[in-house]
Amino acid sequence: MDTRAFKRSLHHSERYNRRGFGRAEEVASSLEEAYQSDLIQSLRDNGYQLQQGRVTIRLAQAFGFCWGVERAVAIAYETRRHYPTERIWITNEIIHNPSVNAHLRQMDVLFIPVEGGVKDFSAVDKGDVVILPAFGATVQEMQLLNELGCHIVDTTCPWVSKVWNSVERHKKESFTSVIHGKVKHEETLATSSFAGTYLVVLDLAEAQLVCDYILGNGNRSSFLEKFAGATSPGFDPDLDLVRIGVANQTTMLKSETEEIGRLFERTLLRRYGPTELNNHFLAFNTICDATQERQDAMFSLVDEPLDLMVVIGGYNSSNTTHLQEIAISRGIASVHIDAPERIGPGNCVEHKPLGGELTTMSPFLPEGPLRIGITSGASTPDRVVEGVIDRLLQLSEL
């Protein structure tokens, strides 16, 4: 499928919108009431710090809603205003935050059901309005919705679209796209749908396995078994790892994405030599600015003396998980929670350890003076961060 031609055709359709409906002022008060916080603004004005009783709160200097998320949520609110009576669907969570998605459900926005890991579009009719979330949607989903005669409202983050352009260039120049991402994440699924031949690697360790194979130090059957489900149909490592372009899920850890790119560059340089490198390796900078800013702010925060780090965001939020990884890498006690209600009652917290399942920690806050660092993922409203700070302060006074 010529994905570039399809996108051009879709973008010129009268049933496609990616710019909103000019109703920003109409929805501004609703967005402010639901997501903004006077307390968080006061912390920003006070050097990102709050001291009360025995607790000092230190807030990362970049956290929470990014521009792409704000844009997606605002367009979703505008869509409900613009189509007050039509059925409105969304192909996935608008962003990875439970409170934001709950607000959309309260506005009678329907979510495409998923059965056995497969989305069921059977209830969607001609004339329905369908929102594509900030992560984007696969090209196959867009094609289906277009054929059904739906009104498509596209809130895909421009940074995600930038990655799609990169993998389309890989495809045009007959390069295999090696995508640093989580193979079942909505964004990676969308990105791979725009690619030609592709391979998804989760981390540096998986990238090393691929590089070992390129250098002749791998077993074909073991390789195919390891990456089953993470490659394009008919993927042949002996043919498809000769020319490689690197891309990434925009919410992955910046330092790891960069190291993966350098690893492939060194490997192909070793395999083919400097004069042939450009014929075998292609890379573009597709790291999201907002993701980078939040990770940089987190690295600065964990350089401070902290007794505890609280990371706030959806449990399925990739960028939030990577913020927690940074705290853990510095040996700082940390908890990842998705809502203020995870704290209490009593001195306990329900949290999700990195790579683990929900668990309860009790006691939670130790006695004595406490310096607590706080950050939140790019899908977390300030209002949720405020709720967490309130709970922490209440708990510290018990």
Side-chain angles (χ1 to χ4, degrees), residues 34 37-38 58 64 70 95 104 110 115 117 120 134-135 180 182 230 255-256 259 266 274 278 332 336 360 372:
S37 161
D38 291 338
R58 292 290 289 123
E70 288 183 346
I95 56 174
L104 292 180
L110 305 169
E115 299 290 341
D120 181 5
F135 324 105
H180 176 212
K182 300 177 180 179
S255 58
E256 187 168 39
E259 182 56 33
R266 292 194 302 269
N278 289 341
I332 299 173
H336 175 188
T360 299
I372 303 176

Side-chain angles (χ1 to χ4, degrees), residues 180-236:
H180 176 212
K182 300 177 180 179
V183 69
K184 294 185 179 180
H185 191 282
E186 300 94 322
E187 181 186 329
T188 296
L189 290 170
T191 296
S192 61
S193 77
F194 283 92
T197 305
Y198 68 84
L199 167 67
V200 180
V201 295
L202 175 64
D203 51 26
L204 191 59
E206 289 194 356
Q208 185 65 62
L209 290 175
V210 179
C211 289
D212 289 343
Y213 194 93
I214 291 171
L215 295 174
N217 301 318
N219 176 273
R220 179 183 173 88
S221 60
S222 298
F223 183 97
L224 292 173
E225 181 179 359
K226 168 64 179 176
F227 291 102
T231 61
S232 49
F235 187 89
D236 184 340

Side-chain angles (χ1 to χ4, degrees), residues 116-153:
V118 178
K119 294 178 188 176
D120 181 5
F121 288 90
S122 61
V124 180
D125 290 332
K126 179 180 181 180
D128 285 356
V129 180
V130 183
I131 299 173
L132 310 183
F135 324 105
T138 68
V139 67
Q140 292 82 9
E141 289 173 353
M142 295 185 202
Q143 188 177 33
L144 172 63
L145 296 171
N146 186 50
E147 291 172 352
L148 286 173
C150 298
H151 297 278
I152 299 173
V153 180

